[in-house]
């Protein structure tokens, strides 16, 4: 019975609880005290094996009770809850649920280990220093007596925030109770004192095991076969089972980026006849084409930094960070699938996992080989020119040779369905979809400039005296990066479009280089990339300002592809400012802030470098040219960049420096359109049999989220074909929302 807040409350009393387990007054603690009121009912300890009763929850009667007026706004549920609300709800659920402390697993969060005591960023073992932190949580007197085998490192990151007294490694560790008690029985009393606290110490009755995608599908098929055999009472499958020996469904997957690869993997594992169509080349040939572009400025329009096996992310940083839930079942399965094909196991633990181009290339070769072993027909150098549509249903595709070597002009291929997994640079595909009266919705994205600093400067800003521990990616601590964001409130009288926008760092590449991502010689756009060690002497990141259809309209760009025309406008301006031939216009950050020209000569960076005293060196190898970047964007975007750079310098003192160089232009941060689809079936709302997925369709932003989207689409299509009966959400959880998701 709860106290009535309207009644007069007598002064609360603190009364120690009585327990037969207590042997001395010294064992009394704050957890053994009950706040008693006239209306409080004492209940017996529901679990006598535990020394203390669960702590009851009380209302603080010393504060006035404030009741909010009813509003028409509905209560937030599910993913719409704020993080604080989710934590509170989880805390209530754990408090109400009786837990067996001596079964299952305990997770210990926020275990801090100093740099001097930690073996370093590349070590994922349970070190002596980490055991000392575990012992503090358990209140176990001798850390060296704890068996390391009973603990598993789930997450390791490096915290160099200024709010910390000193940079430290931060761990999340899982404690296996059975294993710990078997190896060290004297920990029993200390486990009995553990109390769950969200974000600090949490209990889970069972180890959550999510396998890689191949294992998950194999297990599902085996359990389905076992159910069918059990239903029929004998060991052989009936002829009318869910796995008929009839003609297999033929599915085309267009695009071999993360979404296309994972959709192909799911469908092929379920026995579908999959044809994977890629306009670009396999990574071996693609690498040579990129080399010809960087060294000799020869652009292959269908095989470059954007098009080819693995998608645009292959020749980037290979970032695996995501905003769709790092601990979700879908993300864990994608990460373990990458490990299966050659990624290091550290990506499962690293707080900011990344692969680097050098590791992605062999991984993609292994992925390709597995698909081919499953019977997937992979057609590189083949471009989809059109869809074959009959009665509102996609029944095939028209393809042509995009490499110039296959000696065919056009070919019609029939399929039962088409998974459209192109990237956000496939502008010709958007135009083709419009010819079929498909609905394309312009969406927000971001444009800006890519800033480059010496990596040593970023190390010093972030790590101070510890900067010398980086050692070009081979030291104890990771190469320093940053993530900054600023919200700009404009003046409605001066800005005719969206007055409030954000500017943020995007695709930060520590120890990386700036690269060209143009697919047309008359257009210029750039990106960043790095290898696994991040050993370059430069650090770069895009500084991107959000734009919306209102911004498109201000430049007289209208219609479904207004965002594409908006991108193209600034890419052409940048190409003109650079003088063509993929030369990038640049300006120092200080000169950009003061609206003055940095220099007037062309600078090429190959083996010979012509230097200008007013312009710092650049990692961009095709040449840079001093220019006034204020002439690139509309005034409100330029002013938003200036305002944000000033704010970033407050957060990262030294961000505005003589060695900081801005490169133009970065426009392809995400897809400029979204292709509407059914949230459950993933099928297009305009054409039956078409499944738009991934970044190009407007449903992902980065390697992991695109892979997850392709994976869910593969399961949805397999379910439609009668090859999968279970609920995919029971395995991986609910898929990400249909809105755009940034890294």
């Amino acid at each position: 019975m709860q106290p009535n807040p309207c009644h007069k409350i007598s002064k609360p009393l603190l009364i120690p609880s009585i327990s037969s387990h207590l042997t001395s007054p010294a064992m009394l603690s704050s957890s053994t005290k009950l706040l008693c009121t006239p209306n409080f009912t004492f209940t017996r300890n529901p679990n006598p094996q535990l020394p203390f009763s669960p702590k009851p929850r009380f209302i603080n009667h010393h504060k006035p009770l404030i009741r909010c007026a009813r509003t028409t706004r509905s209560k937030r549920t599910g993913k719409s809850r704020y993080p604080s609300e989710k934590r509170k709800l989880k805390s209530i659920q754990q408090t109400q649920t009786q837990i067996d402390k001596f079964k299952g697993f305990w997770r210990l969060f926020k275990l801090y280990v100093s740099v001097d005591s930690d073996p370093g960023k590349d070590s994922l073992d349970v070190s002596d220093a980490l055991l000392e932190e575990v012992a503090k949580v358990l209140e176990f007197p001798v850390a060296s007596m704890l068996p390391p085998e009973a603990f598993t490192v789930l997450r390791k990151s490096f915290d160099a925030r200024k709010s910390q007294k000193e940079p430290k490694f931060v761990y999340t560790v899982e404690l296996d109770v059975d294993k710990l008690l078997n190896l060290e029985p004297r920990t029993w009393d200390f486990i009995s004192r553990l109390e769950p606290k969200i974000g600090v110490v949490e209990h889970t009755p069972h180890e959550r095991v999510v396998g890689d995608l191949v294992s998950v599908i194999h297990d599902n098929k085996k359990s389905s076969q076992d159910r069918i055999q059990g239903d029929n009472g004998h060991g052989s499958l009936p002829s009318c089972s869910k796995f008929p020996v009839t003609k297999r469904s033929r599915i085309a997957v267009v695009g071999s980026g993360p979404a296309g690869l994972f959709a192909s993997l799911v469908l092929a594992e379920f026995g579908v006849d999959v044809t994977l169509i890629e306009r670009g080349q396999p990574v071996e040939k693609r690498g040579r084409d990129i080399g010809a572009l960087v060294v000799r400025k020869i652009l292959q329009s269908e095989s470059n930094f954007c098009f080819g096996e693995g998608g645009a992310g292959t020749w980037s940083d290979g970032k695996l960070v995501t905003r769709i839930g790092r601990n979700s079942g879908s993300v864990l399965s994608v990460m373990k699938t990458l490990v299966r094909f050659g990624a290091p196991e550290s990506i499962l633990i690293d707080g900011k996992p990344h692969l680097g181009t050098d590791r992605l290339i062999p991984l993609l070769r292994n992925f390709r080989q597995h698909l081919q072993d499953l019977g997937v027909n992979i057609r590189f150098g083949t471009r989809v020119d059109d869809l074959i549509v009959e009665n509102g249903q996609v029944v095939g595709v028209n393809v042509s040779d995009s490499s110039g070597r296959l000696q065919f002009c056009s070919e019609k291929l029939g399929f039962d369905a088409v998974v459209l997994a192109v990237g956000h640079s496939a502008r010709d595909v958007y135009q083709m979809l419009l010819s079929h009266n498909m609905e394309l919705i312009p969406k927000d994205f971001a444009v800006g400039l890519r800033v480059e600093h010496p990596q040593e400067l970023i190390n010093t800003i972030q790590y101070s005296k510890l900067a010398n521990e980086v050692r070009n990616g081979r030291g104890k601590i990771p190469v320093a990066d940053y993530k900054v964001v600023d919200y700009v409130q404009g003046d409605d009288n001066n800005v005719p479009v969206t007055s409030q926008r954000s500017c943020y760092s995007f695709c930060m590449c520590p120890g990386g280089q700036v690269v060209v991502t143009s697919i047309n010689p008359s257009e210029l756009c750039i990106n960043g990339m790095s290898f696994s060690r991040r050993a370059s002497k430069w650090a770069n990141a895009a500084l991107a300002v959000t734009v919306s259809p209102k911004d498109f309209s201000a430049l007289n760009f209208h219609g479904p592809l207004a965002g594409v025309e908006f991108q193209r406008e600034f890419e052409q301006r940048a190409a003109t400012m650079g003088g063509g031939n993929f030369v990038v216009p640049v300006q120092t950050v200080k000169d950009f802030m003061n609206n003055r020209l940095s220099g007037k000569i062309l600078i090429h960076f190959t083996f010979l470098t012509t230097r200008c005293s007013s312009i710092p060196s650049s990692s961009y190898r095709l040449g840079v040219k001093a220019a006034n970047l204020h002439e690139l964007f509309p005034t409100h975007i330029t002013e938003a960049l200036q305002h944000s750079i000033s704010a970033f310098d407050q957060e990262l003192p030294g961000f505005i420096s003589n060695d900081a160089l801005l490169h133009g232009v970065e426009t392809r941060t995400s897809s400029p359109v979204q292709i509407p689809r059914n949230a459950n079936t993933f099928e297009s709302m305009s054409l039956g049999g078409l499944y738009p997925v991934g970044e190009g369709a407007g449903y992902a932003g980065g390697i992991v989220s695109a892979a997850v989207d392709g994976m869910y689409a593969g399961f949805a299509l397999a379910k439609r074909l009668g090859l999968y009966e279970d609920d995919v959400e029971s395995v991986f959880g609910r898929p990400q929302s249909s809105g755009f998701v940034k890294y």
Side-chain angles (χ1 to χ4, degrees):
M1 179 177 179
Q2 294 293 332
N4 188 337
C6 298
H7 293 169
K8 183 177 179 180
I9 305 299
S10 62
K11 184 176 181 180
L13 302 176
L14 292 176
I15 303 176
S17 62
I18 301 175
S19 172
S20 60
H21 294 273
L22 299 177
T23 57
S24 68
M27 294 184 66
L28 289 174
S29 66
S30 60
S31 65
T32 68
K33 299 177 182 180
L34 300 176
L35 178 61
C36 298
T37 69
N39 293 322
F40 177 76
T41 302
F42 182 80
T43 58
R44 182 179 298 274
N45 185 352
N47 189 352
Q49 292 183 353
L50 300 181
F52 306 119
S53 302
K55 293 195 292 185
R57 297 172 58 86
F58 301 98
I59 300 175
N60 187 346
H61 299 293
H62 295 284
K63 296 181 180 179
L65 184 62
I66 301 175
R67 298 186 183 277
C68 299
R70 291 183 180 272
T71 64
T72 58
R73 184 171 56 186
S74 60
K75 185 177 180 180
R76 288 181 294 271
T77 59
K79 288 191 174 182
S80 64
R81 291 191 180 100
Y82 295 142
S84 59
E85 293 174 326
K86 294 179 181 178
R87 289 193 295 269
K88 183 177 180 180
L89 178 63
K90 188 175 180 181
S91 179
I92 293 173
Q93 291 172 342
Q94 281 208 353
T95 303
Q96 294 175 343
T97 304
Q98 194 65 250
I99 64 172
D100 187 346
K101 297 182 178 182
F102 305 100
K103 298 291 184 181
F105 301 83
W106 286 90
R107 287 191 176 182
L108 315 180
F109 299 85
K110 299 178 182 178
L111 303 177
Y112 293 90
V113 178
S114 67
V115 175
D116 292 337
S117 302
D118 195 90
K121 69 179 191 307
D122 297 324
S123 174
L124 305 178
D125 299 328
V126 179
S127 63
D128 293 341
L130 181 56
L131 281 178
E132 291 181 5
E133 299 303 312
V134 171
K136 291 178 183 178
V137 176
L138 298 177
E139 299 182 357
F140 193 75
V142 185
S144 60
M145 295 176 62
L146 293 175
E149 300 84 356
F151 304 93
T152 304
V153 175
L154 298 181
R155 186 79 76 247
K156 181 177 183 178
S157 58
F158 188 65
D159 189 353
R161 291 175 298 174
K162 300 299 183 288
S163 58
Q164 302 290 333
K165 293 182 179 179
E166 61 175 338
K168 293 182 178 181
F169 286 97
V170 187
Y171 288 85
T172 298
V173 172
E174 187 172 74
L175 183 163
D176 187 326
V177 178
D178 287 340
K179 189 175 292 186
L180 179 60
L181 291 176
N182 287 335
L183 295 173
E184 182 49 78
R186 285 169 290 189
T187 58
W188 194 96
D189 287 340
F190 301 91
I191 294 176
S192 69
R193 300 173 191 172
L194 282 176
E195 292 293 338
K197 184 178 180 181
I198 301 302
V200 180
V201 179
E202 297 181 10
H203 180 269
T204 176
H206 305 287
E207 184 180 17
R208 186 183 181 190
V209 179
V210 179
D212 64 81
L213 196 50
V214 176
S215 300
V216 168
I217 295 175
H218 285 186
D219 292 343
N220 174 268
K221 291 167 66 176
K222 184 177 185 301
S223 62
S224 297
Q225 291 173 354
D226 291 343
R227 285 199 302 268
I228 295 172
Q229 292 174 4
D231 292 342
N232 287 274
H234 51 76
S236 60
L237 288 175
S239 59
C240 58
S241 73
K242 292 297 293 184
F243 302 93
V245 190
T246 58
K247 181 181 178 181
R248 296 191 300 166
S249 299
R250 299 189 68 238
I251 305 296
V253 178
V254 183
S256 67
L261 288 173
F262 275 79
S264 299
L265 178 61
V266 172
L267 293 169
E269 288 288 351
F270 277 116
V272 176
D273 183 0
V274 178
T275 298
L276 178 57
I277 303 173
E278 169 58 51
R279 68 195 301 166
Q281 297 296 322
V283 286
E284 300 87 351
K285 175 65 168 60
R286 186 183 179 191
R288 293 192 293 270
D289 292 337
I290 288 175
L293 172 60
V294 172
V295 176
R296 301 194 300 275
K297 300 188 178 182
I298 300 174
L299 174 66
Q300 298 292 338
S301 61
E302 304 288 358
S303 179
N304 43 57
F305 280 97
C306 289
F307 298 148
E309 187 177 20
T314 304
W315 264 266
S316 185
D317 188 57
K319 292 179 182 63
L320 301 178
V321 293
T322 179
R323 295 178 62 182
I324 63 172
R326 173 70 190 275
N327 296 318
S328 66
S330 56
V331 171
L332 289 174
S333 185
V334 165
M335 301 288 270
K336 290 184 178 181
T337 304
L338 295 177
V339 171
R340 180 187 183 98
F341 292 130
E345 291 191 5
S346 60
I347 67 171
L348 303 176
I349 299 174
D350 193 349
K352 294 181 180 179
H354 85 108
L355 290 171
T357 297
D358 50 325
R359 286 177 174 167
L360 273 170
I361 292 174
L363 185 153
L364 287 168
R365 284 200 296 259
N366 295 336
F367 207 129
R368 183 207 313 160
Q369 185 61 56
H370 183 80
L371 292 178
Q372 290 174 332
D373 291 342
L374 292 173
V376 176
N377 177 23
I378 304 178
R379 297 187 56 160
F380 291 109
T382 304
R383 180 180 56 246
V384 172
D385 298 319
D386 201 1
L387 301 175
I388 303 175
V389 181
E390 296 179 1
N391 300 321
Q393 188 81 13
V394 175
V395 296
V397 293
N398 283 333
V399 300
S400 63
D401 175 17
S402 63
S403 67
R405 297 180 293 104
L406 301 181
Q407 304 300 319
F408 72 91
C409 296
S410 182
E411 183 180 358
K412 291 185 177 182
L413 304 175
F415 296 101
D416 298 303
V418 174
V419 177
L420 190 65
V422 299
H424 57 54
S425 292
R427 295 169 174 174
D428 56 334
V429 173
Y430 298 147
Q431 195 68 51
M432 178 266 292
L433 295 177
L434 285 180
S435 70
H436 292 280
N437 297 318
M438 279 194 62
E439 182 183 10
L440 302 181
I441 301 175
K443 57 179 281 292
D444 297 358
F445 56 98
V447 298
L449 306 169
R450 185 157 286 267
V451 64
E452 187 169 68
H453 295 82
Q455 182 61 57
E456 289 185 358
L457 174 63
I458 301 300
N459 292 342
T460 302
I461 291 174
Q462 296 290 59
Y463 298 156
S464 301
K465 296 179 181 179
L466 282 176
N468 59 352
E469 292 290 340
V470 174
R471 299 175 186 173
N472 293 327
R474 291 175 169 80
K476 292 187 67 174
I477 61 179
V479 180
D481 62 2
Y482 57 83
K483 182 179 181 181
V484 286
V485 63
D486 182 44
Y487 297 94
V488 182
Q489 181 67 48
D491 185 353
D492 288 335
N493 295 325
N494 298 327
V495 182
V497 290
T498 306
S499 60
Q500 185 173 359
R501 61 185 78 240
S502 63
C503 178
Y504 57 92
S505 59
F506 173 80
C507 189
M508 198 277 159
C509 297
Q513 57 186 291
V514 180
V515 297
V516 62
T517 54
S518 301
I519 57 176
N520 188 318
S522 65
E523 300 164 0
L524 180 62
C525 59
I526 55 176
N527 192 20
M529 69 161 285
S530 61
F531 295 102
S532 57
R533 276 293 178 185
R534 293 173 163 172
S536 164
K537 65 179 183 179
W538 290 283
N540 68 77
L543 303 181
V545 178
T546 54
V547 293
S548 70
K550 292 183 179 179
D551 296 288
F552 314 156
S553 299
L555 294 181
N556 293 320
F557 297 130
H558 307 281
L561 300 184
V564 173
E565 296 304 319
F566 187 85
Q567 291 175 327
R568 184 177 282 125
E569 170 69 20
F570 299 114
E571 292 172 5
Q572 291 175 346
R573 289 187 190 182
T576 301
M577 293 174 66
N581 211 18
F582 305 112
V583 174
V584 166
V586 297
Q587 189 174 19
T588 66
V589 172
K590 281 191 172 182
D591 289 340
F592 179 77
M593 299 298 289
N594 296 318
N595 192 15
R596 68 189 181 200
L597 193 63
S598 298
K600 297 182 180 180
I601 69 168
L602 183 69
I603 306 175
H604 288 288
F605 294 95
T606 52
F607 294 101
L608 298 176
T609 303
T610 304
R611 292 294 305 276
C612 175
S613 59
S614 61
I615 299 181
S617 62
S618 170
S619 66
Y620 184 74
R621 297 178 60 186
L622 280 75
V624 298
K625 179 182 178 180
N628 187 353
L629 297 181
H630 280 246
E631 301 173 0
L632 184 57
F633 291 117
T635 303
H636 55 274
I637 294 180
T638 301
E639 290 178 350
L641 284 167
Q642 286 180 301
H643 181 280
S644 299
I645 289 173
S646 179
F648 298 159
D649 189 64
Q650 296 295 316
E651 187 173 347
L652 303 172
F655 194 85
I656 300 177
S657 71
N658 292 324
D659 294 324
L661 190 64
L662 292 167
H663 301 66
V665 63
E666 182 118 4
T667 55
R668 304 185 189 185
T669 53
S670 70
S671 174
V673 302
Q674 187 174 72
I675 307 173
R677 71 185 185 189
N678 184 290
N680 297 318
T681 66
F682 289 73
E683 192 171 20
S684 166
M685 304 289 283
S686 302
L687 285 176
L690 183 67
Y691 294 78
V693 300
E695 194 157 350
Y699 294 95
I703 292 174
V704 173
S705 59
V708 168
D709 198 54
M711 179 185 74
Y712 274 108
F715 275 100
L717 188 48
K719 195 165 188 175
R720 175 199 154 186
L721 298 173
L723 302 173
Y724 180 70
E725 291 182 317
D726 295 340
D727 183 6
V728 68
E729 294 183 8
S730 64
V731 181
F732 301 117
R734 296 189 63 183
Q736 65 191 58
S737 64
S738 59
F740 165 60
V741 182
K742 296 193 292 291
Y743 297 60

